[in-house]
Amino acid sequence: MKILITGATGLVGKELVKLCLKKKYTIHFLTTRKDKIVAQENVKGFYWNPKEQEIDVSCLDGVEVLMNLAGASISKKWTTTHKKAVLESRIRSVQLLHQLLSENTHQVRQFISASALGIYPSSLTKKYDESSNEVSSSFLGEVVDAWEKEVDTLSSLDLKIAKIRIGIVLSKSGGALIEMIKPIKLGAGAAIGSGKQWQSWIHVHDLAKLFLFCAEKELTGVYNAVASHPVTNKEMTRAIAKQLKKPFILPNVPAFMIQLMLGEMSAIVLESQYLNNDKIKDRGFEFTYKSIETALKECLH
């Protein structure tokens, strides 16, 4: 199988490339940095610039599956400028891919796009599956909703379309976990806000495996990419502290302090989304990291 990946140099993209190569698949990837364009055995880079709507058409040669992971990080300060970049980077990427596929001869049969749990409203009591039509009124909700709607426009090209709603990605190489462990390493581990907010998580290896599973099984539709047992913020913090052999005795950090420090971005840690993953499991997918303990053990040792 030949796969074209956008966002291949990101946290999830790197894991996905590694897994594809292990399975002897051929990878084409798109990058906005010309210095990252490499041509090795089974891996070839191509230039694109979604902002300027530029793309190297030869990236499509022989490609059967397109995996879209492109988008500006939500982990940078949410200035007006960066919020605009978060939304536009996702929309323009999909628009450019739509244009690429509609204007050129190709063999692509499936389009698999990243999405995010931020589409679901924050709730301490609801459990969301993919049939939920509720959309969060938060900034992240607006972004993910617009992103998914843009992805849906590709259905007019007679492609199989899958959208992967990604939870909190746990990895030793970066992302949310690296930020979570900083205060805990200093002995200042504490739950945030009420500590009762649900955190639906997934190990980066399982996430890459899930993308590939969707390609191999030619799945369509929306899938929650989270492990089977979401944990509360308090449980997550305690589990990290236990792995690091650090104390977990401090009182919770009040929500207003987090809001003062992070502003609107505090939604990332204060919102609560409990996601159900039965749909992907019913298709035959098996998680490698089923408990928060096994996932953290791999990430932190």
Side-chain angles (χ1 to χ4, degrees):
M1 189 169 11
K2 191 180 271 192
I3 303 170
L4 174 61
I5 302 175
T6 73
T9 55
L11 185 72
V12 181
K14 282 178 184 168
E15 188 73 20
L16 187 51
V17 170
K18 199 164 74 180
L19 200 55
C20 286
L21 293 177
K22 202 179 273 185
K23 290 206 166 194
K24 302 285 190 286
Y25 295 146
T26 302
I27 299 300
H28 281 186
F29 69 92
L30 287 163
T31 176
T32 55
R33 287 176 50 182
K34 289 181 177 174
D35 61 322
K36 289 209 171 182
I37 295 174
V38 295
Q40 301 164 344
E41 190 187 358
N42 292 341
V43 185
K44 195 173 181 187
F46 300 85
Y47 179 73
W48 77 328
N49 185 335
K51 207 171 182 180
E52 302 298 328
Q53 296 289 285
E54 291 174 34
I55 195 162
D56 183 345
V57 176
S58 54
C59 69
L60 278 178
D61 292 350
V63 167
E64 300 153 83
V65 177
L66 205 164
M67 294 186 181
N68 176 46
L69 299 163
S73 170
I74 61 161
S75 303
K76 288 183 182 172
K77 195 166 171 57
W78 286 10
T79 59
T80 306
T81 306
H82 189 63
K83 279 170 72 176
K84 190 179 173 194
V86 166
L87 177 61
E88 288 188 355
S89 62
R90 284 161 176 76
I91 302 301
R92 285 182 174 172
S93 296
V94 177
Q95 286 172 341
L96 184 51
L97 295 170
H98 187 290
Q99 187 183 329
L100 174 76
L101 294 168
S102 59
E103 293 179 359
N104 298 280
T105 306
H106 62 83
Q107 291 91 51
V108 177
R109 61 172 186 264
Q110 188 178 25
F111 187 91
I112 303 171
S113 183
S115 180
L117 59 66
I119 196 165
Y120 299 109
S122 180
S123 173
L124 293 174
T125 54
K126 287 183 181 174
K127 295 183 179 181
Y128 294 108
D129 64 23
E130 295 84 348
S131 65
S132 169
N133 293 320
E134 291 184 75
V135 175
S136 172
S137 58
S138 68
F139 168 64
L140 288 181
E142 289 169 26
V143 168
V144 183
D145 188 39
W147 192 13
E148 288 198 359
K149 281 175 178 160
E150 201 61 51
V151 170
D152 288 339
T153 66
L154 278 92
S155 56
S156 64
L157 304 178
D158 198 27
L159 298 171
K160 291 185 168 77
I161 305 220
K163 292 173 284 191
I164 312 299
R165 289 178 178 166
I166 302 170
I168 297 166
V169 181
L170 301 182
S171 166
K172 63 173 66 168
S173 306
L177 186 59
I178 302 303
E179 297 306 313
M180 288 182 204
I181 65 177
K182 282 178 184 174
I184 299 169
K185 272 188 168 177
L186 297 171
I192 290 170
S194 70
K196 294 175 184 174
Q197 63 272 35
W198 288 106
Q199 298 191 309
S200 295
W201 59 273
I202 186 166
H203 189 286
V204 69
H205 173 74
D206 279 332
L207 181 54
K209 207 169 84 166
L210 195 150
F211 266 87
L212 216 44
F213 180 83
C214 286
E216 290 167 343
K217 301 287 183 187
E218 298 193 11
L219 299 184
T220 59
V222 178
Y223 295 92
N224 287 339
V226 295
S228 299
H229 303 289
V231 290
T232 63
N233 173 263
K234 188 174 185 176
E235 288 167 344
M236 174 78 83
T237 313
R238 182 187 283 125
I240 294 169
K242 189 178 176 185
Q243 287 295 332
L244 295 175
K245 296 184 169 54
K246 293 290 182 181
F248 179 65
I249 48 173
L250 294 177
N252 293 16
V253 181
F256 78 88
M257 283 180 66
I258 300 296
Q259 286 159 343
L260 279 175
M261 287 189 292
L262 298 177
E264 196 179 0
M265 190 181 169
S266 60
I268 295 174
V269 289
L270 293 175
E271 287 202 342
S272 172
Q273 284 107 351
Y274 188 113
L275 271 58
N276 175 302
N277 69 359
D278 287 347
K279 188 175 175 182
I280 194 69
K281 287 199 298 186
D282 289 346
R283 300 294 187 276
F285 183 76
E286 288 190 17
F287 288 83
T288 303
Y289 298 95
K290 297 176 183 177
S291 71
I292 193 66
E293 289 77 18
T294 56
L296 290 174
K297 191 173 182 181
E298 195 285 327
C299 291
L300 298 175
H301 295 289

